[in-house]
Amino acid sequence: MDVIETRELTKQFGSGDVLVQALRGVDLRIESGELVAIMGPSGSGKSTLLAILGGVDVPTSGKVLLEGADLSEMSDDQRTLIRRRRIGFVFQSFNLLPTLTAEENVSLPLELDGVAAREASQRACHALELVEMSHRRGHIPSKLSGGEQQRVAIARALVIEPALVLADEPTGNLDSRQSKRVTDLLQELVANQRHTIVVVTHDEEVGASAQRLITLRDGLVE
């Protein structure tokens, strides 16, 4: 089953002499339970594609289908709901709230969506267990290493039980040892939990760890 698919996806910025064609007709299909890496030089369209896959932005033309529903035809409110419930995001800079514990950071998306505090806490603890961070659940981010913070961020992405996890340079702020641990974790989540994960990366080792590599150049799949 395809979790996400794009058809003739284009994205333009500006107009006239300053028109930029960030994406120029991207077709891709990502199936359930895949770990897919997207790579390419700076300016190739990776970040633009990730934003459109996540419903953060909309294409100029073409379709982006998440579980069969076209994100490009949804209202802003509909896409917000989809992002909250069906798409997990992992960022290079972790984006954890500094005053909250690991458990509180992970449970926050659930509580914002109206899940009762007790259930949110139970699901957060389970997500932290999946990323081997249960023993650090009471720590605030400043008491965690970069690799530990990223694992908490991954748990936060997983806690909503998403159809798709999008990771933007998830090892970009990590040293080689921590980077390998996060990369291994992503592989394990796909192999053992059947999560569907798309990673945008410049890290060749992360790209090599994926089941499939998509290379972008000048807004096209190479």
Side-chain angles (χ1 to χ4, degrees):
M1 171 185 163
D2 291 335
V3 172
I4 196 157
E5 177 185 0
T6 69
R7 300 175 184 170
E8 289 295 318
L9 200 66
T10 74
K11 182 64 178 181
Q12 298 177 352
F13 298 99
S15 61
D17 293 339
V18 291
L19 178 66
V20 175
Q21 292 185 312
L23 298 175
R24 298 190 293 136
V26 172
D27 295 303
L28 61 83
R29 299 171 69 177
I30 295 168
E31 295 182 358
S32 177
E34 275 196 295
L35 174 57
V36 176
I38 299 175
M39 299 187 72
S42 296
S44 61
K46 303 185 303 297
S47 296
T48 300
L49 177 59
L50 196 72
I52 292 175
L53 293 180
V56 177
D57 201 355
V58 292
T60 302
S61 65
K63 294 182 178 294
V64 52
L65 305 174
L66 177 68
E67 298 181 301
D70 191 351
L71 298 180
S72 63
E73 294 183 349
M74 294 181 183
S75 67
D76 289 344
D77 288 346
Q78 288 173 321
R79 286 199 309 277
T80 297
L81 198 60
I82 288 287
R83 289 196 302 272
R84 186 186 300 164
R85 296 179 176 175
R86 302 305 294 150
I87 304 173
F89 294 90
V90 179
F91 304 97
Q92 179 176 343
S93 56
F94 320 135
N95 287 16
L96 301 176
L97 294 180
T99 59
L100 299 185
T101 66
E103 181 183 328
E104 289 168 341
N105 266 286
V106 175
S107 66
L108 185 60
L110 296 175
E111 294 185 27
L112 291 175
D113 198 35
V115 175
R118 182 173 180 179
E119 180 185 347
S121 176
Q122 291 173 340
R123 288 172 61 177
C125 288
H126 175 66
L128 286 166
E129 185 178 342
L130 289 177
V131 301
E132 299 180 351
M133 284 295 292
S134 294
H135 63 297
R136 305 285 272 172
R137 66 178 181 270
H139 290 68
I140 61 174
S142 63
K143 301 299 182 181
L144 303 174
S145 70
E148 288 175 331
Q149 289 186 63
Q150 193 59 292
R151 282 188 281 152
V152 171
I154 292 170
R156 181 184 57 193
L158 297 177
V159 76
I160 63 170
E161 300 176 359
L164 176 68
V165 174
L166 299 176
D168 187 6
E169 300 284 0
T171 62
N173 283 343
L174 305 179
D175 62 30
S176 58
R177 181 181 62 83
Q178 294 174 327
S179 175
K180 185 179 187 311
R181 188 161 188 184
V182 167
T183 302
D184 289 346
L185 172 61
L186 295 177
Q187 288 180 305
E188 290 165 8
L189 290 170
V190 171
N192 300 331
Q193 304 295 325
R194 302 299 297 164
H195 285 289
T196 306
I197 303 177
V198 177
V199 181
V200 164
T201 184
H202 283 99
D203 189 330
E204 293 186 0
E205 291 186 9
V206 175
S209 73
Q211 296 165 317
R212 191 154 56 96
L213 175 62
I214 296 171
T215 304
L216 288 185
R217 186 176 297 274
D218 298 327
L220 290 168
V221 175
E222 196 172 49

